[in-house]
Amino acid sequence: MSGKVTAITKFGAFVALECGKSGLVHISEVANSFVSDVHDFLQAGQEVQVKVLSVTPEGRVNLSVKQALPRPNCHSCATRTAPAPVQTASPDEASFEDKLKQFLCASDSKMSELNRNRDGRRGNRRRK
């Protein structure tokens, strides 16, 4: 489904949908990589592809740009249950761009996992 970005806030972007409704794309659903500022990825008036995640009983529409994008196809970003693909070329024969793409994908995956683990520990301390 496509929509047009109508407003950008520090926590996400509001998108007007073709059906006449509008919804919120939370900052965590803007891109596959870390987003510190929504303005780096979206601009007001931009046409974007979105996926409807949910509609609350109050009528709020939760959207995702990240889930509407095609999934990256490097093996380190795949789910952990899927087997790793067989490499046809040796690492010495891979081009610089391929090596860089694999490194960036693995780095994003590791950073998101570290952030998830760190965020899970916050707030669990006992207060005196």
Side-chain angles (χ1 to χ4, degrees):
M1 173 177 284
S2 65
K4 191 174 198 176
V5 178
T6 57
I8 297 177
T9 64
K10 63 182 179 182
F11 56 84
F14 290 95
V15 176
L17 301 174
E18 297 168 338
C19 63
K21 290 197 170 218
S22 65
L24 173 70
V25 178
H26 189 263
I27 191 169
S28 65
E29 293 294 329
V30 170
N32 286 323
S33 59
F34 176 75
V35 178
S36 61
D37 186 10
V38 179
H39 289 93
D40 295 340
F41 294 88
L42 300 173
Q43 289 81 34
Q46 178 182 0
E47 287 284 329
V48 292
Q49 290 293 320
V50 293
K51 178 180 177 183
V52 177
L53 298 179
S54 65
V55 179
T56 64
E58 296 85 26
R60 294 182 184 149
V61 181
N62 296 318
L63 304 170
S64 173
V65 173
K66 175 170 68 172
Q67 292 185 25
L69 297 173
R71 303 219 9 120
N73 63 357
C74 72
H75 63 83
S76 63
C77 291
T79 58
R80 298 204 183 267
T81 57
V86 178
Q87 284 187 327
T88 57
S90 68
D92 296 334
E93 296 174 7
S95 70
F96 174 75
E97 288 81 16
D98 293 337
K99 290 179 181 179
L100 182 61
K101 207 179 288 184
Q102 288 178 346
F103 169 77
L104 288 174
C105 190
S107 176
D108 284 345
S109 175
K110 289 177 183 176
M111 286 303 295
S112 66
E113 187 175 330
L114 286 171
N115 287 336
R116 200 173 325 121
N117 288 339
R118 182 193 66 208
D119 291 343
R121 290 188 205 137
R122 288 184 182 171
N124 288 343
R125 296 183 184 139
R126 289 187 179 166
R127 294 183 181 155
K128 294 180 181 181

